[in-house]
Amino acid sequence: MPYGPSQCKNNAKLWNYPNGIPVPTGWIPSLFQTMVPTGYTKLQEERGLAMADLGPKPDGNGYRPDPPHLEVRRHSDRVARTSVSLSDGGDVRYSETEPMLPEGTLSGEEGDAEEKEEEESQRTPTRNMPKESPLAMALQIVVPFLLAGFGTVSAGMVLDIVQHWDAFKYITEIFILVPALLGLKGNLEMTLASRLSTAVNVGKMDSPIEKWNLIIGNLALKQVQATVVGFLAAVAAVVLGWIPEGKFQMSHAVLLCSASVATAFIASMLQGFIMVGVIVGSKKTGINPDNVATPIAASFGDLITLAILAWISQGLYNCLDSHPYVSSLVCAFFLSLTPVWMVISSKHPASRTLLYSGWEPVITAMVISSIGGLILDKTVSDPNLAGIVVYTPVINGIGGNLVAIQSSRISTHLHFHSAPGEVPEEAKGCYYPCRTFYGTGANHRSAQVLLLLVLPGHLIFLYTIHLMKSGHTTLTPIFMTVYLAAALLQVFLLLCIADWMVYSMWRSGKDPDSFSIPYLTALGDLLGTALLALSFQFLWYIGDQDSDVGD
């Protein structure tokens, strides 16, 4: 519907444009304005107008005064509603496909039918999914994609250095921890980003009160999951390291548990704060958070996690002989905080639901990533293949970032257009790979864009590693051909799996925002590590060897 004069005036006021005409303030605002698709900007404007039309302006606490004809009716049940604590949420209203609040309600608020009809009549009709051109989509994706890529390059360079530290040389099971802990960004950070991005796009974070309730509940839930998954990853590393070697040292096992739990806890908290800032900032600037949140979640996640793991592991290893009890105290301290985070996360119904039902994907993903870590551990132990270390975080991180974007976009589309358990017509029937890239659905163009980013992205990151003189492998034409083929095959497989998995989970009643990304990023770690190991083995067999490999 075209805007009238009063609405244009409101839009001008909303975007600080005098008389509705944009005032150019430089090339940077113009660039950002180009990156934001018209449909998405219009959607944000309509939300602002809809909120403005609901009644008087809210006060400083975010509450909106009630219209006179509703005040009397609401007064009779206000006593019941004032007991709406965050823990009073009515679990019956929440399911795995409804992690966000129903439209127009706060946590646990039960409005009567007549009141809801009156308020719904004043709302905008149906909110449609904003359309994006491939160019706008690529512009939004490319910057966070490059940031995430440089983050993984930095993580690879750090891993290439710390592999020679005493803790990594004498407790090689730490290498099994690396993919599992780096995979936490896919299990937790990217899942958080996908959930909050969906909440922003479907309008569940327009209320300041509910916005912070969702954020605090999800952050607390993430700390619980990080602590538990960190501990289980250490147990898996101990078991996977013990089975082939037949040796077990209790002091090394305790050190692994302490380093893993502490790293997961600290890194998850730091990245959670960054993620919330990105989501809130994207909402305010009108950028679709589905395109930027998940890559930025991973931009420095690998580097932060790996640096914390190396520092804590080496510090605990130095105390192993003189103060052997330090490792036990560190592990006990972080584990003792788990009940506190559980209480906080249970205060919000959405996070409370995931507190009970959200363990399957993160634990399964941790096991899958640990298998990739076992492959890395055995590969690094071979002096002829030690050059793989610097490239492992890069190929794993890039694949996980790209498939997380696609998963988040498909999930948002389903939340907009489909009821839980129902899928669009194009997703029915048997799956075939061409449907992902050339189908009639709404996300085949994004799959094409993401696949096209693989080759130029990896070329930039390979050249960056070469310029920094990191790694031990010369960038010969045959090495680059084999490496790029492995990276392209990894992303192609992940995008096909994502297309099948997200629709299957939605059909079975599970929320893809919480379930699909952990599986996909873990599969990215496993596929990336396995394909990279096969590539290095192939290069060694055909004679493309470096005399300094493993130095």
Side-chain angles (χ1 to χ4, degrees):
M1 180 182 294
Y3 288 146
S6 61
Q7 290 176 314
C8 292
K9 186 176 180 180
N10 287 337
N11 284 344
K13 184 178 180 181
L14 181 63
W15 294 100
N16 296 323
Y17 291 160
N19 300 323
I21 302 175
V23 179
T25 57
W27 65 273
I28 294 180
S30 301
L31 176 62
F32 279 103
Q33 189 174 2
T34 305
M35 293 171 61
V36 180
T38 306
Y40 194 82
T41 307
K42 184 178 179 181
L43 179 68
Q44 299 292 333
E45 293 176 359
E46 289 175 351
R47 283 187 194 154
L49 289 172
M51 294 296 290
D53 291 339
L54 287 178
K57 294 182 178 180
D59 59 17
N61 295 323
Y63 292 98
R64 188 180 303 277
D66 294 327
H69 65 283
L70 294 178
E71 182 64 31
V72 175
R73 190 168 62 231
R74 289 186 177 180
H75 181 73
S76 60
D77 61 335
R78 183 157 298 171
V79 175
R81 293 197 188 172
T82 52
S83 63
V84 175
S85 65
L86 292 175
S87 62
D88 237 1
D91 292 331
V92 178
R93 294 191 299 114
Y94 287 88
S95 65
E96 290 172 353
T97 52
E98 295 175 325
M100 302 306 166
L101 293 178
E103 184 73 26
T105 61
L106 297 179
S107 299
E109 188 173 15
E110 302 286 346
D112 55 65
E114 183 182 352
E115 179 180 319
K116 284 183 178 180
E117 288 178 4
E118 184 141 4
E119 293 184 358
E120 287 295 329
S121 65
Q122 300 178 27
R123 291 180 181 269
T124 51
T126 306
R127 188 181 282 117
N128 292 320
M129 185 76 180
K131 293 184 178 181
E132 296 172 291
S133 67
L135 177 61
M137 186 191 313
L139 287 174
Q140 289 190 26
I141 292 174
V142 69
V143 174
F145 169 72
L146 291 176
L147 284 176
F150 288 126
T152 59
V153 168
S154 303
M157 294 168 62
V158 170
L159 185 59
D160 188 43
I161 294 172
V162 302
Q163 68 170 323
H164 303 294
W165 289 11
D166 290 342
F168 285 79
K169 287 195 299 183
Y170 297 112
I171 309 179
T172 58
E173 291 84 1
I174 297 178
F175 283 107
I176 302 178
L177 283 178
V178 169
L181 291 180
L182 296 188
L184 282 179
K185 74 177 186 300
N187 297 349
L188 305 180
E189 270 68 43
M190 288 184 177
T191 303
L192 172 69
S194 182
R195 282 202 300 264
L196 295 184
S197 296
T198 300
V200 169
N201 280 325
V202 300
K204 306 302 184 185
M205 292 181 68
D206 290 340
S207 165
I209 301 172
E210 196 54 46
K211 175 177 71 175
W212 290 111
N213 288 344
L214 282 169
I215 289 172
I216 293 172
N218 277 280
L219 287 179
L221 171 68
K222 196 162 69 71
Q223 291 305 113
V224 175
Q225 292 177 329
T227 305
V228 174
V229 172
F231 179 78
L232 294 178
V235 174
V238 171
V239 173
L240 292 175
W242 167 69
I243 290 175
E245 297 180 4
K247 295 185 297 183
F248 177 80
Q249 294 188 34
M250 180 58 71
S251 59
H252 288 183
V254 175
L255 186 148
L256 285 172
C257 289
S258 302
S260 181
V261 170
T263 300
F265 184 94
I266 297 171
S268 179
M269 178 170 286
L270 292 176
Q271 294 175 71
F273 290 149
I274 295 173
M275 201 65 266
V276 169
V278 170
I279 296 291
V280 174
S282 298
K283 181 178 184 296
K284 290 184 177 180
T285 56
I287 296 176
N288 186 352
D290 276 325
N291 292 336
V292 300
T294 49
I296 291 180
S299 58
F300 298 105
D302 288 342
L303 179 60
I304 292 173
T305 303
L306 193 54
I308 294 173
L309 175 63
W311 176 69
I312 293 178
S313 299
Q314 187 62 38
L316 294 176
Y317 182 81
N318 293 336
C319 299
L320 204 57
D321 294 328
S322 58
H323 303 87
Y325 56 86
V326 172
S327 296
S328 302
L329 290 177
V330 170
C331 185
F333 170 74
F334 286 105
L335 289 177
S336 66
L337 295 177
T338 305
V340 177
W341 299 114
M342 292 180 67
V343 170
I344 296 175
S345 64
S346 65
K347 296 295 184 181
H348 192 278
S351 57
R352 185 199 310 164
T353 301
L354 294 174
L355 186 62
Y356 296 106
S357 65
W359 292 101
E360 173 196 337
V362 295
I363 294 177
T364 307
M366 179 272 300
V367 174
I368 297 173
S369 296
S370 296
I371 297 174
L374 181 62
I375 297 174
L376 177 63
D377 182 28
K378 297 306 176 185
T379 307
V380 171
S381 301
D382 187 348
N384 297 325
L385 305 176
I388 193 177
V389 169
V390 72
Y391 301 104
T392 302
V394 179
I395 192 170
N396 292 352
I398 297 305
N401 296 344
L402 294 178
V403 75
I405 294 174
Q406 182 71 354
S407 174
S408 182
R409 293 178 62 89
I410 298 175
S411 178
T412 298
H413 183 266
L414 289 173
H415 277 87
F416 259 96
H417 298 291
S418 302
E422 299 178 1
V423 295
E425 288 296 328
E426 65 270 9
K428 295 180 179 178
C430 296
Y431 173 79
Y432 52 96
C434 291
R435 188 182 77 187
T436 302
F437 302 96
Y438 300 104
T440 58
N443 294 288
H444 68 278
R445 289 193 179 276
S446 61
Q448 296 172 0
V449 170
L450 295 172
L451 192 64
L452 290 174
L453 287 175
V454 175
L455 294 183
H458 274 289
L459 285 173
I460 293 173
F461 305 139
L462 286 175
Y463 190 61
T464 302
I465 294 174
H466 177 69
L467 286 180
M468 301 299 292
K469 301 187 184 302
S470 183
H472 307 283
T473 306
T474 305
L475 295 184
T476 61
I478 189 170
F479 169 79
M480 295 180 65
T481 301
V482 172
Y483 176 87
L484 292 175
L488 195 63
L489 178 61
Q490 177 210 26
V491 175
F492 176 82
L493 292 175
L494 288 175
L495 290 175
C496 292
I497 294 171
D499 193 38
W500 166 80
M501 182 180 291
V502 172
Y503 285 115
S504 298
M505 288 184 172
W506 184 265
R507 187 185 295 113
S508 63
K510 294 181 179 179
D511 178 27
D513 281 327
S514 300
F515 282 80
S516 64
I517 290 182
Y519 288 120
L520 293 170
T521 53
L523 288 172
D525 291 342
L526 180 59
L527 284 173
T529 306
L531 290 172
L532 198 57
L534 290 175
S535 300
F536 270 72
Q537 198 73 45
F538 173 75
L539 291 170
W540 180 261
Y541 283 142
I542 67 174
D544 190 66
Q545 306 166 5
D546 288 324
S547 59
D548 62 341
V549 167
D551 289 349

